[in-house]
Amino acid sequence: MATRNLRRVGQFCKENPAFTDAGVRWLIFNSANNGLDDFGAIVRLDRRVFIDADRFFAWIESRSGNAQREAA
């Protein structure tokens, strides 16, 4: 079984200061619409919410790729 790089929102933001707590929580709130759920970047366990950092950054890369293609 593969190990996932899971972090709570506060831990994730502390390790990645480019992301604010409020901004990440907004992304999580809208995860069904913005594609984070499709990437498996958000893990919900009861009332706890975890971020899979590797999948989150893969989602970021996919979004930046889309922006570059649309601009061209």
Side-chain angles (χ1 to χ4, degrees):
M1 184 161 138
T3 303
R4 293 179 69 176
N5 189 9
L6 298 179
R7 299 284 186 269
R8 297 290 306 257
V9 174
Q11 291 171 319
F12 179 82
C13 293
K14 193 174 206 176
E15 293 173 3
N16 302 285
F19 299 96
T20 64
D21 190 76
V24 171
R25 290 185 188 282
W26 185 86
L27 290 171
I28 291 168
F29 182 78
N30 293 289
S31 61
N33 298 323
N34 63 22
L36 275 172
D37 282 347
D38 296 336
F39 270 78
I42 306 302
V43 177
R44 291 175 174 87
L45 180 62
D46 296 326
R47 293 183 59 151
R48 294 185 182 118
V49 177
F50 298 92
I51 300 170
D52 184 318
D54 298 328
R55 293 180 185 192
F56 181 86
F57 288 116
W59 173 77
I60 295 268
E61 287 295 320
S62 76
R63 304 278 294 187
S64 64
N66 286 339
Q68 290 172 359
R69 280 183 287 228
E70 290 172 3

